[in-house]
Amino acid sequence: MQNNLGQYPNTRLRRTRKFAWSRNLVRQNTLSISDFILAIFVCEGTNIKEPIINMPGVYIYSIDQLIIFLQDLLQKNCINAVMLFPRVCSTKKTVDCVESYNPDNLICRSIKAIKENFNNKIGIIADVALDPYSVHGHDGVIDESGYVLNDQTNQILIKQALNQAQAGCDIVSPSDMMDGRIGEIRQALDEGGFYDVQIMSYSAKFSSSFYGPFRDCIGSTQKIPIDKSSYQMDLANSDESLLEVGQDIFEGADSVIIKPCLLYLDIIAKVKSNFNIPIAAYLVSGEYAMLYSAINNQIFSNEYKILYETYMSIKRAGADIIITYKIPFELL
Ligand code: PBG
């Protein structure tokens, strides 16, 4: 594409910037409620709305409170889809992670409650990974040396995904980074009659230090910091993200996630220029914490302008969908 045909003074690039109406006309990217998936933490109990440490403005909800929260957002037309994460009671965390495919587990009850209350007005996405259910906080089952076993983990992930689909989940979202799990989950969903349940794959999920507040919240943090680098991507790698995305598309993913996102905008742009598949970018708990520690310390004076600029950078890089803990409704 030839970009530089215009010459000053015939061409003045400031002309279109003079008035707001004109800037509106030539604006390339926009943000609207339909771009967003709201990530929400759920817990057992009733009448609970508990603040999350290090994530100001984010709460963990018991199911009854979750419904009240979503009702309010829906009335204001401020919600399109949710992604649910469970804080599983420590008594239900085991070595074999059986709670992940218990049809009456917290996540299934949450899915059913949302469907019962709002029908298909809110899309429901559930995370497929074993970290909320394992005693050690890893995303899969481990051997004696602590290594996460790929194929054995996949067998459980299949059951977990089917369990979520059975409960009424619209999109299952494997975040575990095992090899081959997308194809196996797709096949199991189809065999179970769940042809229309989508798979949003965490394809390029990096072994990042920005997941801390999330891990603290769902209780997957251990005394010794957990190292997921034998399955999550090495953050020094960029080309490998294309291998991951390509493989997941081949195996049947309907959309892919890149995560974290603010320090990984190059990965979003690269995937966008190589594949025609919807891309979701996940602004993770540590990125949220970083933004809000500056906002709450009055280092940034305008919260919404900061969110606007942050989210716009993600759209501009090429993401179609933004998964986040806070949607800047005032800007939409
Ligand atoms: C679990 C999972 C994690 C996140 C989403 N799904 C944590 C991890 O991989 O350790 C992190 C999200 C966040 O930090 O906001 N597989």
Side-chain angles (χ1 to χ4, degrees):
M1 204 194 298
Q2 183 57 263
N3 275 319
N4 255 337
L5 293 176
Q7 288 296 313
Y8 172 85
N10 289 345
T11 297
R12 287 176 184 266
L13 291 173
R14 288 184 56 192
R15 264 186 216 123
T16 56
R17 295 177 201 149
K18 189 165 183 181
F19 298 111
W21 61 262
S22 174
R23 293 192 292 273
N24 293 344
L25 284 176
V26 300
R27 184 164 302 121
Q28 227 186 312
N29 291 290
T30 53
L31 287 173
S32 85
I33 200 71
S34 54
D35 297 321
F36 288 94
I37 294 172
L38 187 62
I40 303 178
F41 296 110
V42 288
C43 63
E44 296 287 1
T46 49
N47 213 16
I48 297 171
K49 182 186 172 189
E50 179 193 311
I52 308 290
I53 301 163
N54 293 330
M55 297 181 74
V58 180
Y59 299 86
I60 186 163
Y61 298 92
S62 54
I63 295 177
D64 57 325
Q65 288 297 313
L66 171 71
I67 298 302
I68 293 169
F69 174 54
L70 292 179
Q71 181 78 59
D72 179 51
L73 290 178
L74 202 57
Q75 252 158 23
K76 296 190 233 152
N77 235 339
C78 283
I79 190 81
N80 189 47
V82 292
M83 185 176 249
L84 302 173
F85 295 100
R87 177 199 279 163
V88 175
C89 295
S90 54
T91 52
K92 291 187 174 157
K93 293 180 192 254
T94 57
V95 173
D96 52 9
C97 307
V98 282
E99 181 64 9
S100 65
Y101 52 91
N102 169 5
D104 198 35
N105 70 16
L106 175 59
I107 210 73
C108 289
R109 279 181 280 121
S110 308
I111 293 168
K112 284 181 195 152
I114 298 173
K115 277 285 170 230
E116 271 162 27
N117 281 277
F118 310 115
N119 206 349
N120 290 318
K121 292 198 187 102
I122 300 175
I124 306 176
I125 300 140
D127 203 66
V128 179
L130 302 182
D131 52 319
Y133 305 96
S134 68
V135 277
H136 38 66
H138 276 298
D139 290 24
V141 288
I142 57 174
D143 68 11
E144 316 76 56
S145 70
Y147 184 69
V148 174
L149 296 163
N150 194 86
D151 301 7
Q152 288 87 332
T153 296
N154 281 353
Q155 292 312 306
I156 306 174
L157 297 176
I158 290 169
K159 291 189 201 172
Q160 185 185 16
L162 275 173
N163 190 38
Q164 293 169 349
Q166 196 83 54
C169 187
D170 299 299
I171 306 182
V172 293
S173 193
S175 70
D176 52 283
M177 292 300 279
M178 296 303 112
D179 284 323
R181 89 280 205 215
I182 300 302
E184 294 191 14
I185 290 173
R186 183 70 271 162
Q187 191 187 341
L189 287 173
D190 288 356
E191 283 169 6
F194 300 109
Y195 311 100
D196 290 332
V197 170
Q198 299 178 38
I199 300 181
M200 180 181 275
S201 172
Y202 287 75
S203 297
K205 176 170 179 179
F206 289 87
S207 184
S208 164
S209 299
F210 283 80
Y211 306 146
F214 174 101
R215 290 178 186 170
D216 291 341
C217 171
I218 68 155
S220 67
T221 307
Q222 306 300 301
K223 287 191 194 84
I224 311 158
I226 197 162
D227 179 6
K228 299 193 176 184
S229 51
S230 79
Y231 45 106
Q232 298 181 348
M233 277 182 64
D234 183 341
L235 59 91
N237 294 355
S238 152
D239 294 343
E240 194 185 353
S241 58
L242 300 181
L243 298 178
E244 286 284 0
V245 169
Q247 209 168 73
D248 287 357
I249 294 173
F250 184 75
E251 290 180 26
D254 300 286
S255 51
V256 296
I257 299 178
I258 292 162
K259 170 188 177 186
C261 66
L262 293 183
L263 300 177
Y264 296 79
L265 294 175
D266 59 316
I267 306 292
I268 299 174
K270 189 163 185 157
V271 170
K272 178 72 179 174
S273 62
N274 279 278
F275 296 101
N276 289 316
I277 186 154
I279 298 173
Y282 193 148
L283 187 129
V284 300
S285 57
E287 296 177 306
Y288 180 92
M290 192 166 64
L291 280 174
Y292 271 87
S293 66
I295 290 167
N296 290 343
N297 284 307
Q298 269 88 49
I299 293 167
F300 299 144
S301 57
N302 188 322
E303 172 182 358
Y304 290 100
K305 283 191 170 177
I306 293 296
L307 291 186
Y308 179 80
E309 189 167 340
T310 303
Y311 291 138
M312 198 54 99
S313 76
I314 299 166
K315 289 284 300 272
R316 201 180 57 233
D320 306 283
I321 302 162
I322 300 169
I323 304 167
T324 185
Y325 296 94
K326 176 113 182 199
I327 302 176
F329 306 118
E330 287 78 352
L331 284 172
L332 305 175

